[in-house]
């Protein structure tokens, strides 16, 4: 049919009043009840059947069916509770499958408000579905209930649909008033029309018009024009103030506002009080849930503060804001990226389309009502620095940490209001764009989450810290684990927990950083380290500090020595140690200056602090039921007091859970690849290996610096070539795996090594490579979640044996699996050890690991 051929509605008088419905028209009926819509949809269905149309009924609501089951009608039954994105994509796929000239009846749009809790998402659904229907020359009927939606939601529908009709019923008569009829006009088209049983008669005389408007005036006062989100929380607050708030209301507030993940919801409902939900609601921007990171932070703070009242004065309060998860999809829809988003969800476009979509997300604009809320939030914070943190629906949940996969952006937040708004909006865009980062996509796909509804909420936190002249930072920051998988002494208690702590911003604690070593602290022995001399402590300590520079308005990294002149003496005492040997040598040469390095030693000597951290980690693990990983800052005072700000908490797939019983073998040295003690992380395990990838330390050291990233890419190519084959792969790599500095190790991403079962960082003093047990880093989180075993091979007593020549007896597959990197042949070797008996044995309680060939029995 031609696009402008008239379509019959089953009401000849309505066809005349509207100058006919046409192919491509979406027709929205705003009614007082679904029954009023039934009156008009029945004749439309019968007419479509007579005209032999491809008639489709999209069924998703709780109300009674609008179209009875019959062979002439295709029915698709969908569940909007799966989430906005899966539901919307499923509708898109149906429309795409049915093709051109199809006729549709949709259930009541207002029911989507029930499933998705807010008008915003209902409007988004219509804004992305209506144009696709139009593009395929379809005709679609949609009912929506008058008075249940905000003016903004109806405005979105009005601006998108081709026809919008208001329907009223009174005195046994139906009235229809067209509000929008695209590209059609007549002198009486937009007048109210009365249906007299045959015709739709426009009301033109004063008496009839007056009676119509009196009818409208006398209708029940149900038109609040409030978003269902606002309506629910307004009513819940009223009940709370009257003391009648029910348990069901608390469950619904948890579902709408915080999480729908069952285990987290149970913890929230156990520990939260009604006032906690209202405090969150008060600080929401947009609608939707606050996401996993916000949920974990708030839950952990509530558990710790209620369980440890004796430390109340040491807990720093928070005043965070939350950008609701609905704003993310609204941003995508507003910036006309939805079609690209659908293509990205396909197998063929999953990675390829993501690159373009990421660029589009970097440059979008925000709806005016959202931007106004941004302004009000920034006015609250003034010029205090803030951090814009990802808080996706799946993030920090049981089994899915997403550690380091999405962005967090510091905003120094200085300058004029417009400059601060511009900086903040770009930070939000960056977080949104990070959902399309290859490492995040690979993580989701590998864990079967690529089809899940993964909206991005955002947590906006005031940065906890102190002004030191022209720079800003906390006294110390770090990560804390309730269970330590790494013991450097046999008498240490893994259940006491561990800290990885740094001076300044905590970014140096969660990332593997260039040439720096955060302080590792076992909380049962906080003063103990693996280092014995001042020279060792200095060398393997923190030499750089991450700060917020208030003059350049950016986060930056500075040498510790550059900060020393600006630091007060009380602060130096808390976090620094002196290298007295180096200072003595300088004095002998007539040079007098401080030689300091950061260890947070005196802070860790404060037993109140270490006891508080140990008890906090213990109580969190006790309530979560699994070990946890936290992030925190510490701020000290000149009087010696301190406060801890708990920034994040997530359940950890714990080493030590589901242990195998492993007996370590007695192997001859010539049959042992490596044997380490107190240098590994991971569960006890035993399995044979299939492949060993070895990076030669000297060869890598001598390889051109600008091409060292090729080594990482080559490793990724090799491991991906064995994906899905169930191979057990061991990687031996010099220095730090995953470092951002190629001179310290191979700069692989987690995606490059995700197929590995064992990772070993190999020390080589001649080439200058030193492993770092990266407990607490984002790379460590990836290893834990993927259940990848880690060991460091040092040139110390922790390595009882390392015999890489053992591998030379096995065939090298490099030439067959990495043909495009011929220059790396010899620097990288890929040994096929399958069937040889080469195996890994690890016994966690003894913190001992052996890799070698056991004699056959």
């Amino acid at each position: 049919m031609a696009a402008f051929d008239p379509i019959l509605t089953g009401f000849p008088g309505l066809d005349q009043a509207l100058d006919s419905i046409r192919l491509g028209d979406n027709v929205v009926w705003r009614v007082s009840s679904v029954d009023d819509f039934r009156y008009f949809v029945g004749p439309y269905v019968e007419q479509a059947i007579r005209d032999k149309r491809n008639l489709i009924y999209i069924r998703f609501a709780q109300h009674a069916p609008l179209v009875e089951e019959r062979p002439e009608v295709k029915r698709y039954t969908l569940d909007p509770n799966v989430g906005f994105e899966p539901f919307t994509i499923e509708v898109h796929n149906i429309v795409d499958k049915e093709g051109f000239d199809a006729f549709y009846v949709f259930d009541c749009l207002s029911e989507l408000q029930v499933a998705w809790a807010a008008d915003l998402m209902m409007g988004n659904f219509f804004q992305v579905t209506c144009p696709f229907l139009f593009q395929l020359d379809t005709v679609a009927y949609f009912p929506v209930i008058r008075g249940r939606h905000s003016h903004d939601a109806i405005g979105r529908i009005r601006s998108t649909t081709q026809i919008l009709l208001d329907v009223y019923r009174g005195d046994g008569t139906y009235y229809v008033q067209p509000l929008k009829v695209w590209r059609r006009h007549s002198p009486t088209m937009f007048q109210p029309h009365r249906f007299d049983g045959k015709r739709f008669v426009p009301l033109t005389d004063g008496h009839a018009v007056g009676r119509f408007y009196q009818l409208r005036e006398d209708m029940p006062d149900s038109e609040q024009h409030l978003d269902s989100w606002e309506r629910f929380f307004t009513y819940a607050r009223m009940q709370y103030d009257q003391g009648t708030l029910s348990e069901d209301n608390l469950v619904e507030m948890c579902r709408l506002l915080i999480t729908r993940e069952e285990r987290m919801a149970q913890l929230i409902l156990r520990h939260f009080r009604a006032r906690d939900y209202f405090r969150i609601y008060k600080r929401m921007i947009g609608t939707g849930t606050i996401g996993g990171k916000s949920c974990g932070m708030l839950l952990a703070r509530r558990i710790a503060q209620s369980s440890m009242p004796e430390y109340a004065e040491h807990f720093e309060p928070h005043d965070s804001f939350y950008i609701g998860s609905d704003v993310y999809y609204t941003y995508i829809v507003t910036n006309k990226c939805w079609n690209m988003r659908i293509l990205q969800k396909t197998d063929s476009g999953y990675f390829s389309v993501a690159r373009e979509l990421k660029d589009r997300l970097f440059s979008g604009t925000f709806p005016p009502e959202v931007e106004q809320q941004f302004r009000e939030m920034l006015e609250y914070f003034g010029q205090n620095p803030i951090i814009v943190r990802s808080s996706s629906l799946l993030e920090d949940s049981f089994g899915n940490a997403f550690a380091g996969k999405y962005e967090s952006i510091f905003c120094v937040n200085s300058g004029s209001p417009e400059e601060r708004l511009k900086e903040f909006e770009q930070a939000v865009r960056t977080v949104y764009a990070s959902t399309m980062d290859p490492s995040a996509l690979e993580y989701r796909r590998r864990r079967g989450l690529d089809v899940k509804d993964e909206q991005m909420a955002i947590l906006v936190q005031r940065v906890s810290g102190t002004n030191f002249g022209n720079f800003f930072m906390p006294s110390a920051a770090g990560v804390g684990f309730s269970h330590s998988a790494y013991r450097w002494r046999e008498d240490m208690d893994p259940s006491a927990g561990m800290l990885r702590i740094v001076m300044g911003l905590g970014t140096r604690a969660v990332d593997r950083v260039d040439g720096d070593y955060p302080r590792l602290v076992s909380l049962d022995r906080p003063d103990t380290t693996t280092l014995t001399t001042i020279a060792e402590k200095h060398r393997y300590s923190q030499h750089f500090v991450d700060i917020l520079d208030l003059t350049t308005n950016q986060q930056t990294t500075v040498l510790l020595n550059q900060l020393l002149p600006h630091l007060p003496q009380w602060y130096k005492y808390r976090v620094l140690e002196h290298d007295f040997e180096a200072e003595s040598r300088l004095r002998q040469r007539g040079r007098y200056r401080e030689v300091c390095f950061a260890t947070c030693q005196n802070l860790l000597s404060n037993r109140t602090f270490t006891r508080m951290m140990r008890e906090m980690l213990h109580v969190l693990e006790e309530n979560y039921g699994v070990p946890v990983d936290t992030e925190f800052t510490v701020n000290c005072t000149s009087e010696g007091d301190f406060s801890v700000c708990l920034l994040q908490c997530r359940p950890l797939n714990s080493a030590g859970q589901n242990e195998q019983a492993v007996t370590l073998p007695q192997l001859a040295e010539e049959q042992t690849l490596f044997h380490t003690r107190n240098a590994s992380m991971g569960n006890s395990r035993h399995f044979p290996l299939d492949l060993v990838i070895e990076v030669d330390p000297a060869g890598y050291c001598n390889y051109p610096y600008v091409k060292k990233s090729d080594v990482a890419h080559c490793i990724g190519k090799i491991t991906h070539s064995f994906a899905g084959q169930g191979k057990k792969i061991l990687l031996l790599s010099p220095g730090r795996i995953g470092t951002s500095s190629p001179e310290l190790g191979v700069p692989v991403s987690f995606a490059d090594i995700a197929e590995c079962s064992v990772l070993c960082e190999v020390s080589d003093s001649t080439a200058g490579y030193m492993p770092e047990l990266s407990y607490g880093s984002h790379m460590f989180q990836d290893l834990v979640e993927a259940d990848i075993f880690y060991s460091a091979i040092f040139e110390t007593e922790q390595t009882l044996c390392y015999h890489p020549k053992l591998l030379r007896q096995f065939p090298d597959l490099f030439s067959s699996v990495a043909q495009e990197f011929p220059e790396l042949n010899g620097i990288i070797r890929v040994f096929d050890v399958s069937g040889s008996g080469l195996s890994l044995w690890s016994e966690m309680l003894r913190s001992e690991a052996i890799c070698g060939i056991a004699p056959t029995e």
Side-chain angles (χ1 to χ4, degrees):
M1 293 184 66
F4 292 101
D5 285 351
I7 302 300
L8 303 180
T9 65
F11 289 94
L14 185 61
D15 297 336
Q16 183 178 0
L18 299 177
D19 192 12
S20 297
I21 288 177
R22 297 164 190 182
L23 288 177
D25 279 350
N26 292 276
V27 185
V28 177
W29 299 76
R30 190 162 65 170
V31 294
S32 297
S33 71
V34 173
D35 286 338
D36 289 344
F37 177 68
R38 290 180 201 280
Y39 184 82
F40 294 93
V41 78
Y44 163 77
V45 168
E46 296 299 333
Q47 184 68 52
I49 291 173
R50 285 194 297 273
D51 294 340
K52 300 187 182 329
R53 306 291 190 186
N54 178 21
L55 184 59
I56 299 137
Y57 175 33
I58 305 296
R59 172 78 173 138
F60 56 80
Q62 296 298 311
H63 59 64
L66 299 173
V67 182
E68 64 183 25
E69 293 196 48
R70 50 199 297 183
E72 301 93 342
V73 181
K74 296 178 185 176
R75 176 184 292 207
Y76 291 93
T77 302
L78 287 68
D79 180 9
N81 291 298
V82 298
F84 169 82
E85 183 172 82
F87 177 84
T88 304
I89 290 177
E90 191 171 2
V91 170
H92 177 95
N93 291 338
I94 291 169
V95 174
D96 190 40
K97 172 187 171 184
E98 295 296 340
F100 285 88
D101 299 341
F103 280 47
Y104 290 89
V105 176
F106 283 77
D107 271 347
C108 185
L109 289 173
S110 301
E111 293 263 343
L112 295 177
Q113 187 188 67
V114 177
W116 299 335
D119 282 347
L120 193 59
M121 303 309 285
M122 181 198 74
N124 287 338
F125 168 77
F126 191 81
Q127 283 192 301
V128 298
T129 303
C130 173
F132 191 46
L133 291 164
F134 175 81
Q135 182 182 334
L136 294 178
D137 287 338
T138 69
V139 175
Y141 270 33
F142 298 87
V144 65
I145 303 299
R146 182 172 37 253
R148 289 195 190 172
H149 304 284
S150 66
H151 292 293
D152 178 69
I154 298 301
R156 286 167 174 265
I157 291 173
R158 178 186 286 107
S159 67
T160 310
T161 192
Q162 283 71 46
I163 298 178
L164 176 61
L165 306 174
D166 244 348
V167 177
Y168 296 91
R169 184 174 57 170
D171 300 329
T173 302
Y174 277 101
Y175 295 85
V176 175
Q177 181 174 12
L179 303 180
K180 177 182 179 182
V181 184
W182 186 61
R183 291 190 173 179
R184 275 147 281 183
H185 178 73
S186 75
T188 59
M189 182 175 287
F190 298 100
Q191 285 291 104
H193 291 66
R194 183 181 71 249
F195 182 54
D196 64 5
K198 292 184 179 180
R199 299 178 304 150
F200 283 81
V201 181
L203 305 183
T204 56
D205 67 274
H207 178 71
V209 170
R211 288 189 62 186
F212 169 73
Y213 285 108
Q214 185 61 49
L215 168 70
R216 288 187 55 176
E217 187 69 22
D218 293 341
M219 293 184 72
D221 185 17
S222 61
E223 299 190 21
Q224 300 179 35
H225 298 295
L226 288 177
D227 186 297
S228 60
W229 172 272
E230 298 174 44
R231 192 161 54 242
F232 172 80
F233 281 99
T234 300
Y235 181 63
R237 181 71 205 205
M238 182 176 66
Q239 287 185 308
Y240 174 69
D241 292 339
Q242 295 171 353
T244 59
L245 189 67
S246 68
E247 189 68 28
D248 288 344
N249 286 133
L250 294 176
V251 171
E252 187 66 2
M253 283 197 286
C254 177
R255 187 185 76 87
L256 298 182
L257 197 62
I258 301 181
T259 184
R260 300 180 187 185
E261 199 275 320
E262 185 176 352
R263 292 178 69 181
M264 290 300 289
Q266 289 174 355
L267 287 169
I268 291 290
L269 292 168
R270 186 189 312 161
H271 293 282
F272 270 40
R273 301 295 176 262
R275 62 180 179 274
D276 297 318
Y277 298 104
F278 293 121
R279 285 172 180 167
I280 296 169
Y281 172 71
K282 181 181 177 182
R283 292 179 170 271
M284 285 287 293
I285 292 174
T287 58
T289 63
I290 60 176
K293 188 172 290 178
S294 298
C295 173
M297 181 270 291
L298 293 168
L299 175 61
R301 294 179 71 94
R302 168 56 60 202
I303 291 172
Q305 290 175 322
S306 61
S307 303
M308 303 165 59
E310 67 274 24
Y311 294 104
E313 64 183 30
H314 294 298
F315 280 109
E316 182 178 325
H318 86 100
D319 51 359
S320 305
F321 281 76
Y322 318 93
I323 302 177
S325 55
D326 291 351
V327 177
Y328 172 67
Y329 280 144
T330 303
Y331 180 80
I332 291 175
V333 172
T334 300
N335 289 285
K336 304 188 184 310
C337 296
W338 185 253
N339 287 340
M340 193 179 297
R341 172 69 169 171
I342 290 177
L343 288 174
Q344 187 273 322
K345 297 291 284 188
T346 64
D347 288 340
S348 60
Y350 189 69
F351 288 105
S352 59
V353 176
R355 290 191 289 271
E356 184 180 353
L357 180 53
K358 184 176 183 179
D359 291 339
R360 292 278 295 274
L361 294 177
F362 264 129
S363 57
T365 59
F366 295 93
E369 63 275 13
V370 172
E371 192 169 75
Q372 179 57 33
Q373 289 181 281
F374 287 171
R375 291 179 187 275
E376 292 171 3
M377 180 202 68
L378 291 173
E379 288 170 356
Y380 168 86
F381 282 123
Q383 290 184 289
N384 289 297
I386 57 178
I387 182 169
V388 179
R389 309 185 73 190
S390 67
S391 183
S392 77
L393 264 60
L394 300 176
E395 200 170 354
D396 287 5
S397 62
F398 285 91
N400 301 305
F402 281 86
K405 297 297 178 290
Y406 300 134
E407 291 284 358
S408 291
I409 306 296
F410 284 101
C411 294
V412 178
N413 203 27
S414 62
S416 69
E418 288 305 314
E419 289 171 334
R420 289 187 283 128
L421 177 64
K422 182 179 179 181
E423 178 189 25
F424 175 76
E425 288 186 341
Q426 193 55 41
V428 175
R429 292 187 190 99
T430 302
V431 174
Y432 283 169
S434 70
T435 59
M436 294 296 111
D437 189 83
S439 64
L441 296 173
E442 178 69 28
Y443 180 93
R444 293 205 295 268
R445 169 163 285 188
R446 189 170 293 277
R447 304 184 71 79
L449 304 174
D450 48 325
V451 296
K452 293 274 189 177
D453 193 16
E454 173 66 334
Q455 297 180 60
M456 178 59 74
I458 288 179
L459 170 62
V460 184
Q461 293 176 298
R462 178 176 49 81
V463 180
S464 173
T466 303
N467 278 43
F468 294 94
N470 291 325
F471 62 91
F472 183 96
M473 66 178 185
S475 300
V479 293
F481 283 75
S482 64
H483 184 96
S484 171
Y486 169 53
R487 295 182 298 163
W488 56 87
R489 288 175 47 149
E490 293 185 3
D491 58 352
M492 285 182 170
D493 178 10
S495 66
M498 172 181 279
L499 305 182
R500 177 179 163 102
I501 193 168
V502 296
M503 169 187 175
L505 296 174
T507 43
R508 300 194 80 73
V510 298
D511 297 323
R512 305 205 74 177
V513 291
D514 310 345
D516 257 9
Y517 297 85
R519 175 71 182 271
L520 292 182
V521 185
S522 183
L523 286 169
D524 64 331
R525 296 175 178 274
D527 293 327
T528 304
T529 75
T530 59
L531 309 171
T532 56
T533 67
I534 287 290
E536 284 182 332
K537 289 181 179 180
H538 191 171
R539 180 180 179 185
Y540 299 113
S541 67
Q542 181 183 356
H543 305 99
F544 294 84
V545 184
D546 285 355
I547 63 168
L548 298 181
D549 190 320
L550 303 179
T551 57
T552 62
N553 202 33
Q554 61 185 2
Q555 177 192 348
T556 189
T557 300
V558 296
L559 276 166
L560 173 59
N561 287 340
Q562 292 179 267
L563 289 182
L564 289 179
H566 308 285
L567 298 174
Q569 198 62 38
W570 64 264
Y571 178 76
K572 294 180 184 178
Y573 174 77
R574 293 281 176 272
V575 300
L576 302 179
E577 286 191 70
H578 283 264
D579 186 338
F580 295 113
E581 295 173 358
E583 289 176 348
S584 175
R585 289 193 295 272
L586 287 172
R587 283 195 299 271
Q588 291 171 9
R589 300 172 187 171
R591 298 168 61 189
Y592 298 89
R593 69 175 179 86
E594 290 182 301
V595 180
C596 297
F597 54 97
T599 63
C600 301
Q601 180 59 45
N602 282 317
L603 173 61
L604 297 170
S605 297
N606 185 328
R607 290 297 175 257
T608 303
F609 170 70
T610 53
R611 187 169 59 249
M612 174 185 173
M613 296 302 292
R614 179 173 179 173
E615 291 179 18
M616 181 178 72
L617 293 169
H618 173 74
V619 77
L620 291 174
E621 177 177 327
E622 188 175 54
N623 279 273
Y624 271 77
V626 296
V628 297
D629 155 27
T630 64
E631 294 183 17
F632 63 90
T633 60
V634 186
N635 286 297
C636 302
T637 69
S638 57
E639 293 79 21
D641 201 1
F642 71 90
S643 62
V644 174
C645 186
L646 186 54
L647 303 175
Q648 185 173 344
C649 180
R650 55 189 163 213
L652 184 66
N653 286 348
S654 167
Q657 303 284 311
N658 303 315
E659 286 292 307
Q660 297 182 38
V662 174
T663 300
L664 297 178
Q666 298 292 323
L667 302 184
E669 184 170 330
E670 63 271 16
Q671 294 298 100
T672 304
L673 177 59
F674 65 80
H675 185 179
T676 64
R677 184 175 294 154
N678 298 325
S680 59
M681 296 186 293
N683 293 334
S684 298
R685 67 193 72 200
H686 169 225
F687 52 78
L689 294 164
D690 297 298
L691 295 159
V692 178
I693 302 172
E694 180 191 32
V695 180
D696 178 63
Y700 178 72
C701 179
N702 294 325
Y703 197 63
Y705 183 87
V706 295
K707 300 180 69 176
K708 288 187 186 293
S709 60
D710 290 349
V711 176
H713 298 150
C714 182
I715 291 172
K717 167 68 177 176
I718 293 168
T719 59
H720 289 158
S721 71
F722 294 102
Q725 300 181 31
K727 301 288 188 183
K728 297 290 187 180
I729 302 174
L730 161 64
L731 173 63
L732 295 166
S733 185
R736 302 184 184 186
I737 293 174
T739 179
S740 59
S741 297
E743 71 274 12
L744 300 178
V746 182
V748 293
S749 67
F750 178 70
D752 295 324
I753 58 174
E755 295 293 333
C756 295
S757 299
V758 185
L759 298 181
C760 289
E761 295 182 332
V762 181
S763 174
D764 190 298
S765 57
T766 58
Y769 295 119
M770 171 63 70
E772 184 217 355
L773 289 163
S774 57
Y775 201 95
S777 69
H778 287 150
M779 178 66 78
F780 168 75
Q781 277 280 3
D782 287 327
L783 303 187
V784 170
E785 289 198 345
D787 198 28
I788 297 173
F789 184 80
Y790 167 93
S791 188
I793 299 176
F794 293 106
E795 297 171 304
T796 67
E797 67 277 3
Q798 289 171 278
T799 300
L800 284 69
C801 173
Y802 181 47
H803 186 47
K805 290 183 180 180
L806 175 69
L807 299 171
R808 301 298 182 268
Q809 62 184 290
F810 302 111
D812 182 358
L813 306 180
F814 181 88
S815 297
S816 61
V817 295
Q819 301 95 326
E820 58 266 58
F821 297 95
E823 69 280 6
L824 295 177
N825 197 346
I827 297 176
I828 300 176
R829 298 182 178 90
V830 184
F831 296 108
D832 181 358
V833 300
S834 56
S836 69
L838 185 68
S839 302
L840 173 76
W841 293 262
S842 165
E843 212 290 313
M844 198 202 78
L845 294 179
R846 291 171 57 179
S847 193
E848 196 165 343
I850 298 175
C851 183
I853 303 174
T856 56
E857 297 182 1

